[in-house]
């Protein structure tokens, strides 16, 4: 049985700048089922209505669902989501960030894992072992090694 649980904080972003912490999310996976609970707080009391919950992986983005905000607070739970395809082809292992859209230049962000780029050289450098006749060993050195 595969089990993993993550608790992450939500950051309020405005015009690309992090302003404050604004809640948290709990993500739990059991075998192939994912449960995601989001709790938002500490927003402006004017933050009301529906907000889209997006999943991000590299350049890919998919809508997971919506949540309701009332006077700057709200919570939602997404249950029994298939870990291989949370939404739009993004799997649990690929998920890098969750974003909740508030207004045009305001959103909540939660980084799940950092994007890692690994550069691999196409061909490893060739290492050449010396030829046997290139090695000169003095008799005195051989005698010293035998002792």
């Amino acid at each position: 049985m595969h089990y993993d649980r993550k608790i992450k904080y939500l950051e309020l972003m405005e015009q690309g700048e992090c302003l404050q912490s604004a809640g948290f999310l709990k993500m739990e996976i059991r075998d192939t089922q994912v449960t995601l609970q989001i709790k938002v707080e500490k927003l402006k009391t004017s933050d009301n209505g529906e907000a889209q919950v997006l999943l991000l992986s590299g350049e890919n983005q998919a809508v997971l669902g919506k949540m309701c905000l009332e006077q700057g607070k709200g919570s939602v739970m997404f249950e029994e989501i298939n870990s291989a395809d949370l939404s739009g082809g993004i799997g649990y292992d690929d998920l890098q960030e969750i974003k909740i859209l508030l207004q045009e230049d305001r959103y909540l962000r939660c980084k799940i894992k950092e994007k890692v780029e690994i550069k691999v050289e196409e061909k490893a450098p060739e290492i050449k072992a010396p030829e046997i006749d290139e090695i000169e060993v003095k008799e005195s050195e051989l005698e010293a090694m035998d002792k």
Side-chain angles (χ1 to χ4, degrees), residues 127-141:
I127 300 173
K128 184 180 176 187
E131 298 291 327
I132 292 179
D133 31 324
E134 292 177 13
I135 301 173
E136 289 183 27
V137 179
K138 295 181 184 174
E139 275 188 46
S140 58
E141 291 176 1

Side-chain angles (χ1 to χ4, degrees), residues 10 44 54 95 141:
L10 296 169
K44 296 177 183 177
L54 304 176
L95 184 61
E141 291 176 1

Side-chain angles (χ1 to χ4, degrees), residues 2 13 66 117:
H2 176 68
M13 304 294 291
K66 294 183 179 183
E117 288 187 32

Side-chain angles (χ1 to χ4, degrees), residues 42-54:
K42 302 179 190 174
L43 296 179
K44 296 177 183 177
T45 54
S46 60
D47 285 324
N48 293 305
E50 286 189 344
Q52 275 193 330
V53 179
L54 304 176

Side-chain angles (χ1 to χ4, degrees), residues 66-119:
K66 294 183 179 183
M67 69 177 297
C68 291
L69 297 173
E70 190 173 312
Q71 296 192 0
K73 298 178 184 178
S75 63
V76 66
M77 184 176 289
F78 300 98
E79 296 182 280
E80 296 184 15
I81 309 167
N82 182 344
S83 64
D85 184 6
L86 299 173
S87 181
I90 298 175
Y92 177 79
D93 292 330
D94 304 322
L95 184 61
Q96 294 174 341
E97 187 174 327
I98 293 178
K99 188 184 275 189
I100 301 167
L101 304 178
L102 301 173
Q103 296 170 356
E104 197 170 301
D105 61 347
R106 293 180 71 233
Y107 60 92
L108 298 172
R109 154 182 101 174
C110 178
K111 290 193 174 196
I112 304 301
K113 64 182 172 185
E114 297 294 326
K115 182 178 177 181
V116 177
E117 288 187 32
I118 300 173
K119 292 185 179 182

Side-chain angles (χ1 to χ4, degrees), residues 6-37:
K6 295 178 178 158
I7 299 175
K8 301 282 189 171
Y9 291 101
L10 296 169
E11 300 171 323
L12 174 60
M13 304 294 291
E14 192 168 309
Q15 297 177 352
E17 190 175 320
C18 179
L19 299 181
Q20 68 185 36
S21 173
F24 64 91
L25 71 82
K26 291 180 186 176
M27 185 181 300
E28 184 176 82
I29 180 170
R30 290 179 189 266
D31 289 328
T32 61
Q33 299 298 304
V34 177
T35 300
L36 179 65
Q37 177 185 2

